[in-house]
Amino acid sequence: MVLESFQVGEGDVPTVLLHGFLGSGRNLRSLANAWSAADPRRRFLLPDLTGHGASAVPPPNADLFTLARDVVATARAQGFTGALDWVGHSLGGRVSLAASLHVPESVARVSLLDIAPGPVPFDLSDSGMVLGILLQAPSRAANRKDMRAELSGRGLSDGLTDWLLMNLVTEGDSVRWRFDRQALAELHARVNGMDLWAALERPDHPPMRCVRGGRSRYVSDAEAARMEAAGCPVTTLPGAGHFVHVDTAKELLEWLLRG
């Protein structure tokens, strides 16, 4: 499947930037613009992952390998050749690890943004909480203000509400969700349950690194130690939560440029 995507930069180092669950490529546009300005050698592809943004609904039983293949198909369709640098936040990081196992010829290196390789427990998953609220919300509303009230009334923070509202589209005299919420719920259970430690703990893995937010729970100290032991250095940004590209944009860019 070829995904909805856009590009930033005109360099010759092919790099894919992958967003997290319930996000879209637009979530990483600011990061791509800043990185491209600092390193013009790169050409960035920012897709909407399968089932997200304006990309098609995932097929039945889709998993992380499905999402990884779709990213590769999109990169090839857009003229990206050879092995790619994969940079992924949360779900995007897990897709990157899956790609290194399933389509290794397409992976030059992997940079993980606040995510570890192991299964993500439901009580740890912020996306699981947001998804639960999203499933309770109506399928459409008269306008964005009404949908905002629906989400806020169910306890969602202003920041997460604004982020989710990016997925509304206008249709006639109302707004509706651009994605299939039930399909995403089914995908969420499958992708969070996958164990990807083999991507790091096999002897021939490509270069990998991870950055985590000091206020985030997604990469524990024990997981960080295990990743380090497998040859994947882990850097902590003390001021960041899970959304490291938002909370500590400058520090994250500095870390990316060191790679």
Side-chain angles (χ1 to χ4, degrees):
M1 180 191 299
V2 174
L3 306 169
E4 185 72 20
S5 66
F6 65 92
Q7 298 181 34
V8 171
E10 299 177 351
D12 56 7
V13 180
T15 308
V16 292
L17 286 179
L18 304 180
H19 62 83
F21 194 78
L22 297 177
S24 69
R26 290 183 297 167
N27 296 155
L28 299 175
R29 184 190 292 273
S30 295
L31 173 59
N33 286 335
W35 195 353
S36 178
D39 185 1
R41 298 174 305 129
R42 291 188 180 269
R43 177 186 174 200
F44 296 95
L45 179 70
L46 292 87
D48 292 350
L49 290 170
T50 313
H52 292 74
S55 290
V57 174
N61 301 316
D63 59 14
L64 288 170
F65 297 136
T66 308
L67 273 61
R69 288 195 302 269
D70 289 347
V71 172
V72 174
T74 304
R76 300 308 182 223
Q78 295 298 326
F80 285 69
T81 60
L84 314 168
D85 277 9
W86 293 63
V87 181
H89 173 245
S90 200
L91 170 62
R94 293 175 64 74
V95 173
S96 302
L97 292 174
S100 76
L101 289 169
H102 198 60
V103 280
E105 69 281 357
S106 71
V107 180
R109 65 178 298 155
V110 172
S111 296
L112 302 171
L113 309 186
D114 204 58
I115 197 66
V120 182
F122 187 80
D123 62 349
L124 178 67
S125 172
D126 292 340
S127 58
M129 177 273 292
V130 174
L131 180 61
I133 293 174
L134 180 63
L135 289 171
Q136 297 170 25
S139 59
R140 60 174 62 234
N143 50 52
R144 298 174 68 88
K145 181 180 178 181
D146 286 358
M147 189 66 83
R148 170 187 289 279
E150 289 282 354
L151 297 174
S152 298
R154 288 172 168 81
L156 201 61
S157 69
D158 289 345
L160 287 174
T161 296
D162 289 339
W163 177 61
L164 269 187
L165 292 177
M166 293 174 66
N167 292 292
L168 286 178
V169 293
T170 301
E171 187 175 74
D173 58 356
S174 63
V175 295
R176 64 165 178 83
W177 298 109
R178 75 164 72 233
F179 45 45
D180 183 320
R181 293 175 295 167
Q182 191 55 49
L184 283 176
E186 295 169 5
L187 179 67
H188 184 264
R190 282 192 295 275
V191 299
N192 273 16
M194 291 183 69
D195 188 321
L196 297 163
W197 278 106
L200 271 72
E201 296 181 334
R202 68 189 200 295
D204 58 343
H205 68 73
M208 297 186 178
R209 58 179 176 163
C210 175
V211 65
R212 64 175 179 165
R215 298 186 289 106
S216 173
R217 301 179 299 154
Y218 273 79
V219 183
S220 69
D221 290 345
E223 288 170 318
R226 183 174 174 182
M227 293 168 79
E228 294 262 7
C232 174
V234 178
T235 298
T236 302
L237 300 180
H242 183 50
F243 292 90
V244 290
H245 53 291
V246 176
D247 297 336
T248 48
K250 179 176 180 290
E251 293 85 350
L252 175 62
L253 179 59
E254 292 170 351
W255 177 80
L256 289 167
L257 290 170
R258 292 198 294 269

